[in-house]
Amino acid sequence: MLTIHSDDHRLHHAAFEWAGGERVPAFETPQRADQVLAGITTHAIGQVIAARRFGRAPIERVHDAAYVEFLSTAWARWQAAGRTADMLPYVWPGPRMQQRRPADLDGELGYFSCDVYAPITAGTWTAACAAADVALSGQARIDAGERAVFSLCRPPGHHAGIDYMAGYCYFNNAAIAAQAFLDGGRRRVAILDIDYHHGNGTQDIFYTRDDVLFVSLHADPREAYPRFTGFAEERGSGAGAGYTVNYPLPSGSTASAWFCALGAACEPIVRYRPEVLIVSLGVDTYEDDPISSFKLRTEDYREIGTRLARLGLPTQFVMEGGYAIEAIGRNVCGVLAGFDACRSEGVKA
Ligand code: SP5
Ligand code: ZN
């Protein structure tokens, strides 16, 4: 399988995050993507090519232009104020408060975010644009007839909503690719999100629409980040009613429970008859992931690839989470190799 990559991801490097009331080293590091890239070579997944640039326009097809503009200038404004540490929000509009854009940087930081997990650093804008380019370059290859590609996006994207950053995410790479498919003439795109965490941002972007089916398998929000979305009763609204499908699973779920939910999640996808499938590929479902609780083992990732290949659809894998540095390369490559092996056998659903 072809992999798309950009070295610019390394420009985004958070110093720390908050966990249990303490500052701890950031879990979302440049090393993650480096390890996945090394795995692509070790496991002989295939050719790796550099992303090309697409600019702001395809990003603004799913994100609010004011949010994009804010991200593009935030670090320079922060520096001009004499600050050097990572930018983090401290205050958000709570229930029944005014949803009004503040006039200064500290206020805007809260206005354009919903948690403390998306610090802006010196290289965040460049890296986030590069991740969108990695997604768009993969989209273009599928559009040109490739059966499957892997967009090695970093920073990840599925927690970023229309006008907010969150959960290590700034631009929603999978959503940007989905919109590009539609803008290129495809009529129905399915996104299957198998990251441990609910893809609240992707859900936000497509919640009222029927041209993108969003199906997510994730830890029950009652017990896991992002806490306030991902419940089974969230099913889309207006024209989008029925086109968001959530499968929350209990904390500690094992592979057998997880694969059972995957089987269920494939049903609405098959019924929808999408022209293309985007997989938000997180491997933080792994048993030794440091921030998650599912119990998938390395051998399970190959089986995921096999199951997804059986859907018989043009498929774009987009990298999301996964924080067990030692295992991230082999787990991601397991999915890709399982997909490729099944596809070369010509197995169809
Ligand atoms: C893309 C993605 O996977 N984003 C995940 C964002 C998770 N945000 C914070 C979760 C809090 C975990 N606390 C760590 C405790 C470790 N012992
Ligand atoms: Zn995750």
Side-chain angles (χ1 to χ4, degrees), residues 114-129:
C114 67
D115 63 45
V116 77
Y117 294 113
I120 297 174
T121 73
T124 299
W125 164 256
T126 305
C129 288

Side-chain angles (χ1 to χ4, degrees), residues 32 156 158-159 167-169 193-198 225 282-285 289 291-292 320-323:
R32 296 178 55 251
H158 75 151
H159 297 305
Y168 316 149
C169 303
D193 189 326
I194 59 171
D195 186 278
Y196 174 83
H197 305 97
H198 179 239
Y225 180 88
V283 294
D284 39 11
T285 46
D289 193 274
I291 65 169
S292 309
E320 302 285 1
Y323 308 98

Side-chain angles (χ1 to χ4, degrees), residues 217-249:
L217 235 66
H218 50 267
D220 191 320
R222 291 177 302 175
E223 309 176 291
Y225 180 88
R227 309 274 174 197
F228 303 101
T229 69
F231 297 90
E233 57 266 39
E234 293 162 23
R235 297 188 41 82
S237 68
Y243 296 96
T244 288
V245 190
N246 284 308
Y247 294 91
L249 292 163

Side-chain angles (χ1 to χ4, degrees), residues 142-323:
I142 299 272
D143 224 29
E146 199 96 33
R147 162 79 204 276
V149 303
F150 172 44
S151 288
L152 208 184
C153 296
R154 181 184 172 271
H158 75 151
H159 297 305
I162 295 171
D163 50 5
Y164 64 87
M165 54 194 180
Y168 316 149
C169 303
Y170 305 85
F171 291 143
N172 195 312
N173 307 308
I176 291 165
Q179 185 63 50
F181 278 118
L182 297 170
D183 292 343
R186 313 259 183 159
R187 286 165 305 175
R188 288 183 312 282
V189 177
I191 302 178
L192 173 63
D193 189 326
I194 59 171
D195 186 278
Y196 174 83
H197 305 97
H198 179 239
N200 61 286
T202 315
Q203 174 170 301
D204 178 46
I205 289 165
F206 298 117
Y207 204 66
T208 61
R209 294 168 48 172
D210 62 4
D211 51 357
V212 176
L213 173 71
F214 176 66
V215 181
S216 181
L217 235 66
H218 50 267
D220 191 320
R222 291 177 302 175
E223 309 176 291
Y225 180 88
R227 309 274 174 197
F228 303 101
T229 69
F231 297 90
E233 57 266 39
E234 293 162 23
R235 297 188 41 82
S237 68
Y243 296 96
T244 288
V245 190
N246 284 308
Y247 294 91
L249 292 163
S251 167
S253 287
T254 58
S256 62
W258 193 89
F259 278 106
C260 183
L262 178 65
C266 287
E267 287 175 22
I269 295 174
V270 169
R271 270 201 307 277
Y272 186 64
R273 290 183 298 104
E275 294 171 75
V276 47
L277 174 66
I278 296 174
V279 179
S280 266
L281 177 58
V283 294
D284 39 11
T285 46
Y286 181 55
E287 57 180 347
D288 290 331
D289 193 274
I291 65 169
S292 309
S293 76
F294 287 175
K295 301 286 176 232
L296 272 65
R297 304 203 168 110
T298 289
E299 60 267 28
D300 296 320
Y301 290 95
R302 198 177 166 90
E303 175 66 14
I304 295 174
T306 304
R307 298 270 196 109
L308 297 179
R310 284 189 190 138
L311 290 168
L313 294 164
T315 301
Q316 181 179 9
F317 291 92
V318 174
M319 188 74 218
E320 302 285 1
Y323 308 98

